[in-house]
Amino acid sequence: EVATTSRSSLETLAALVGNADEDEEAFAEGETDSRGGKFDPTIGQGYKLAITVRVGDRDEVGPMEVMVSEKGEISLPLIGRINCNGLTINALHSRLSGAYGEYYTDPDVEVQFAYSDDGISPYGQVLVQGRVMREGWVNIPPTRNLRLSHAIQRSGGFAPSALRRKVLVLRKEDNGKLIKHVIDFKAIGKNGELDNDILLEPNDVIFVDESNF
């Protein structure tokens, strides 16, 4: 069954498209963006974390996965509840190393995001709407290499009535400027125009209109 877009959603997107500027440069390959090496996501409610504490060659804690509570806390053996809301992984690593250092000598703490396609991605999401099989949010993976084709694929692919020659990508810049980019998706495969298979950023909106044919 093909997902359907409500009239209010379509009207909202139409307003966004009408107010957006077309800016080819904003999508040029190789530009630095928030997903580059300097990007360090912070921990928030609903995120899953994978934690292991080793002493020597023995795992004293874990490996285990814990979910951040509504209060921004996780609960761990020996040290109890730890507030980690807003911390980076490195900051939490330091906090846990200090806490477990009260119980073990030179604990080796490993902590990382436990990523899953159906969970909350700390690296952000993009919204896919219109004539795709499943509308909704698509997670950006830890590699942060989510391209337009990947997002369409994870939405179940195009619906039969999709207008593939004019796929819209809307992006809000840090200065509040909304940019529209029109992608000829057919040209990506037919003509090998891979530059059009752009890297997506958190909160990008992809809209696939309906073909008149």
Coordinates of all heavy atoms in Angstrom, one line a residue, residues 36-83:
G36 N 30.6 16.5 9.1 CA 32.0 16.3 8.9 C 32.7 15.8 10.1 O 32.1 15.5 11.2
G37 N 34.0 15.7 10.1 CA 34.8 15.2 11.2 C 34.6 15.9 12.5 O 34.8 15.4 13.5
K38 N 34.2 17.2 12.4 CA 34.1 18.0 13.7 C 32.7 17.7 14.4 O 32.5 18.2 15.5 CB 34.2 19.5 13.3 CG 35.6 19.8 12.8 CD 35.6 21.3 12.5 CE 37.0 21.7 11.9 NZ 37.0 23.2 11.6
F39 N 31.8 17.0 13.7 CA 30.5 16.8 14.3 C 30.6 15.8 15.4 O 31.0 14.7 15.2 CB 29.5 16.3 13.2 CG 28.1 16.1 13.7 CD1 27.3 17.1 14.1 CD2 27.6 14.8 13.6 CE1 26.1 16.8 14.6 CE2 26.4 14.5 14.1 CZ 25.6 15.5 14.5
D40 N 30.1 16.1 16.5 CA 30.1 15.2 17.7 C 28.7 15.2 18.3 O 28.4 16.2 19.1 CB 31.2 15.7 18.7 CG 31.5 14.6 19.7 OD1 31.0 13.5 19.5 OD2 32.4 14.8 20.6
P41 N 27.8 14.3 18.0 CA 26.5 14.3 18.5 C 26.4 14.2 20.0 O 27.3 13.6 20.6 CB 25.8 13.2 17.8 CG 26.9 12.2 17.5 CD 28.1 13.1 17.2
T42 N 25.4 14.8 20.6 CA 25.2 14.7 22.1 C 24.1 13.7 22.4 O 23.2 13.4 21.6 CB 24.8 16.1 22.6 OG1 23.7 16.6 22.0 CG2 26.0 17.0 22.5
I43 N 24.1 13.2 23.6 CA 23.2 12.1 24.0 C 21.9 12.8 24.5 O 21.9 13.8 25.1 CB 23.9 11.4 25.2 CG1 25.2 10.7 24.7 CG2 22.9 10.3 25.8 CD1 26.0 10.2 25.9
G44 N 20.8 12.1 24.2 CA 19.5 12.6 24.5 C 18.5 11.5 24.9 O 18.9 10.3 24.7
Q45 N 17.4 11.9 25.3 CA 16.3 10.9 25.7 C 16.0 9.9 24.6 O 15.9 10.3 23.4 CB 15.1 11.7 26.1 CG 13.8 10.8 26.3 CD 12.6 11.6 26.5 OE1 12.6 12.8 26.8 NE2 11.4 11.0 26.3
G46 N 15.9 8.7 24.9 CA 15.6 7.7 23.9 C 16.7 7.0 23.2 O 16.5 6.0 22.4
Y47 N 17.9 7.6 23.3 CA 19.1 7.1 22.6 C 19.5 5.8 23.3 O 19.4 5.6 24.6 CB 20.2 8.0 22.6 CG 20.1 9.2 21.7 CD1 21.0 10.2 21.6 CD2 18.9 9.4 20.9 CE1 20.9 11.3 20.8 CE2 18.8 10.4 20.1 CZ 19.8 11.4 20.0 OH 19.6 12.5 19.2
K48 N 20.0 4.8 22.6 CA 20.6 3.6 23.1 C 22.1 3.7 23.1 O 22.7 4.2 22.2 CB 20.1 2.4 22.3 CG 18.7 2.0 22.6 CD 18.4 0.7 21.8 CE 16.9 0.3 22.1 NZ 16.6 -1.0 21.4
L49 N 22.7 3.2 24.2 CA 24.2 3.3 24.4 C 24.7 1.8 24.6 O 24.0 1.1 25.3 CB 24.6 4.2 25.5 CG 24.1 5.6 25.4 CD1 24.4 6.4 26.7 CD2 24.8 6.3 24.2
A50 N 25.8 1.5 24.0 CA 26.5 0.2 24.3 C 27.7 0.5 25.2 O 28.5 1.3 24.8 CB 26.9 -0.4 22.9
I51 N 27.7 -0.2 26.3 CA 28.7 0.1 27.3 C 29.4 -1.2 27.8 O 28.7 -2.2 28.0 CB 28.1 0.8 28.5 CG1 27.6 2.2 28.1 CG2 29.1 0.9 29.7 CD1 26.8 2.9 29.2
T52 N 30.7 -1.2 27.9 CA 31.5 -2.3 28.4 C 32.6 -1.7 29.3 O 33.2 -0.7 29.0 CB 32.2 -3.1 27.3 OG1 31.2 -3.6 26.4 CG2 32.9 -4.3 27.9
V53 N 32.8 -2.4 30.5 CA 33.9 -2.0 31.4 C 34.8 -3.2 31.5 O 34.3 -4.2 32.1 CB 33.3 -1.5 32.7 CG1 34.5 -1.1 33.6 CG2 32.4 -0.3 32.5
R54 N 36.0 -3.1 31.1 CA 37.0 -4.2 31.2 C 38.1 -3.8 32.3 O 38.5 -2.7 32.3 CB 37.6 -4.5 29.9 CG 36.7 -5.0 28.8 CD 37.5 -5.5 27.6 NE 36.6 -6.1 26.6 CZ 36.2 -5.3 25.6 NH1 36.5 -4.1 25.5 NH2 35.4 -5.8 24.7
V55 N 38.5 -4.8 33.0 CA 39.6 -4.7 33.9 C 40.6 -5.8 33.5 O 40.2 -7.0 33.7 CB 39.2 -4.8 35.3 CG1 40.5 -4.6 36.2 CG2 38.3 -3.6 35.7
G56 N 41.7 -5.5 33.0 CA 42.6 -6.6 32.4 C 42.0 -7.2 31.2 O 41.5 -6.5 30.3
D57 N 41.8 -8.5 31.3 CA 41.2 -9.2 30.1 C 39.8 -9.7 30.5 O 39.2 -10.6 29.8 CB 42.0 -10.4 29.7 CG 42.3 -11.4 30.8 OD1 41.8 -11.2 32.0 OD2 42.9 -12.5 30.6
R58 N 39.2 -9.1 31.5 CA 37.9 -9.5 32.0 C 36.8 -8.4 31.9 O 37.1 -7.3 32.2 CB 38.0 -10.0 33.4 CG 36.6 -10.5 34.0 CD 36.8 -11.0 35.4 NE 35.6 -11.4 36.0 CZ 35.4 -11.9 37.2 NH1 36.5 -12.2 37.9 NH2 34.3 -12.2 37.7
D59 N 35.7 -8.8 31.3 CA 34.6 -7.8 31.3 C 33.9 -7.8 32.7 O 33.2 -8.8 33.1 CB 33.5 -8.2 30.2 CG 34.1 -8.1 28.8 OD1 35.1 -7.3 28.6 OD2 33.5 -8.7 27.9
E60 N 34.0 -6.7 33.4 CA 33.4 -6.6 34.7 C 31.9 -6.1 34.5 O 31.1 -6.4 35.4 CB 34.2 -5.6 35.6 CG 35.6 -6.1 35.9 CD 35.5 -7.3 36.8 OE1 34.5 -7.7 37.4 OE2 36.6 -8.0 37.0
V61 N 31.7 -5.2 33.5 CA 30.3 -4.7 33.2 C 30.1 -4.9 31.7 O 30.9 -4.4 30.9 CB 30.2 -3.2 33.6 CG1 28.8 -2.7 33.2 CG2 30.4 -3.0 35.1
G62 N 28.9 -5.5 31.4 CA 28.6 -5.7 30.0 C 29.4 -6.8 29.3 O 30.0 -7.6 30.0
P63 N 29.4 -6.7 28.0 CA 28.7 -5.7 27.1 C 27.2 -5.6 27.4 O 26.6 -6.6 27.5 CB 29.0 -6.2 25.7 CG 30.1 -7.2 25.8 CD 29.9 -7.8 27.2
M64 N 26.7 -4.4 27.4 CA 25.3 -4.2 27.6 C 24.8 -3.0 26.9 O 25.6 -2.1 26.6 CB 25.0 -4.0 29.1 CG 25.7 -2.8 29.8 SD 25.5 -2.8 31.6 CE 23.7 -2.6 31.7
E65 N 23.5 -3.0 26.6 CA 22.9 -1.8 26.0 C 21.9 -1.2 27.0 O 21.2 -1.9 27.7 CB 22.1 -2.2 24.7 CG 23.0 -2.5 23.5 CD 22.3 -2.7 22.2 OE1 21.0 -2.5 22.2 OE2 22.9 -3.0 21.2
V66 N 21.9 0.1 27.1 CA 21.0 0.8 28.0 C 20.4 2.0 27.2 O 21.0 2.5 26.3 CB 21.8 1.4 29.2 CG1 22.3 0.3 30.1 CG2 22.9 2.3 28.8
M67 N 19.2 2.3 27.6 CA 18.4 3.4 27.0 C 18.4 4.6 27.9 O 18.2 4.5 29.1 CB 17.0 3.0 26.6 CG 16.2 4.1 25.9 SD 14.6 3.6 25.3 CE 15.0 2.5 23.9
V68 N 18.6 5.8 27.3 CA 18.6 7.0 28.1 C 17.1 7.3 28.5 O 16.2 7.3 27.6 CB 19.2 8.2 27.3 CG1 19.2 9.5 28.2 CG2 20.6 7.8 26.9
S69 N 16.8 7.5 29.7 CA 15.5 7.7 30.2 C 15.0 9.1 29.9 O 15.7 10.0 29.4 CB 15.4 7.5 31.7 OG 16.1 8.6 32.4
E70 N 13.7 9.4 30.2 CA 13.1 10.7 30.0 C 13.8 11.8 30.8 O 13.8 12.9 30.4 CB 11.6 10.7 30.4 CG 10.7 9.8 29.5 CD 9.3 9.8 30.0 OE1 9.0 10.4 31.0 OE2 8.5 9.2 29.3
K71 N 14.5 11.4 31.9 CA 15.2 12.3 32.7 C 16.7 12.5 32.2 O 17.4 13.2 32.8 CB 15.2 11.9 34.2 CG 13.9 11.9 34.8 CD 14.0 11.4 36.3 CE 12.6 11.5 37.0 NZ 12.7 11.0 38.4
G72 N 17.0 11.8 31.1 CA 18.4 11.9 30.6 C 19.4 11.1 31.4 O 20.6 11.4 31.4
E73 N 18.9 10.0 32.0 CA 19.8 9.2 32.8 C 19.9 7.8 32.3 O 19.0 7.3 31.6 CB 19.2 9.1 34.3 CG 19.2 10.5 35.0 CD 18.6 10.3 36.4 OE1 17.7 9.4 36.6 OE2 18.9 11.2 37.2
I74 N 21.0 7.1 32.6 CA 21.1 5.7 32.4 C 21.4 5.0 33.8 O 21.9 5.7 34.7 CB 22.3 5.3 31.4 CG1 23.6 6.0 31.8 CG2 21.9 5.8 30.0 CD1 24.8 5.6 31.0
S75 N 21.1 3.8 33.9 CA 21.4 3.0 35.1 C 22.4 1.9 34.9 O 22.1 1.1 34.0 CB 20.1 2.5 35.7 OG 20.3 1.8 36.9
L76 N 23.5 1.9 35.6 CA 24.5 0.9 35.4 C 24.9 0.2 36.7 O 24.7 0.7 37.8 CB 25.8 1.6 34.9 CG 25.6 2.3 33.5 CD1 26.8 3.1 33.2 CD2 25.4 1.2 32.4
P77 N 25.4 -1.0 36.6 CA 25.8 -1.8 37.8 C 26.9 -1.0 38.6 O 27.7 -0.3 38.1 CB 26.5 -3.1 37.2 CG 25.8 -3.2 35.9 CD 25.6 -1.8 35.4
L78 N 26.8 -1.1 39.9 CA 27.7 -0.5 40.9 C 27.5 1.0 41.1 O 27.4 1.5 42.2 CB 29.2 -0.8 40.5 CG 29.7 -2.3 40.7 CD1 31.1 -2.3 40.3 CD2 29.5 -2.8 42.1
I79 N 27.5 1.7 40.0 CA 27.5 3.2 40.1 C 26.0 3.8 40.0 O 25.9 5.0 40.2 CB 28.4 3.8 39.0 CG1 27.9 3.5 37.6 CG2 29.8 3.4 39.2 CD1 28.7 4.2 36.5
G80 N 25.1 3.0 39.7 CA 23.7 3.4 39.7 C 23.3 4.4 38.5 O 23.8 4.2 37.4
R81 N 22.5 5.4 38.8 CA 22.1 6.3 37.8 C 23.1 7.4 37.5 O 23.6 8.0 38.4 CB 20.7 6.9 38.2 CG 19.6 5.9 38.2 CD 18.3 6.6 38.6 NE 18.3 7.2 39.9 CZ 17.3 7.8 40.5 NH1 16.2 8.0 39.8 NH2 17.3 8.3 41.7
I82 N 23.3 7.6 36.2 CA 24.2 8.6 35.7 C 23.5 9.5 34.8 O 22.9 9.1 33.8 CB 25.4 8.0 35.0 CG1 26.2 7.1 35.9 CG2 26.3 9.0 34.4 CD1 27.0 7.8 37.0
N83 N 23.5 10.8 35.0 CA 22.9 11.8 34.1 C 23.9 12.0 32.9 O 25.0 12.4 33.1 CB 22.6 13.1 34.8 CG 21.8 14.0 34.0 OD1 22.1 14.3 32.8 ND2 20.7 14.5 34.6

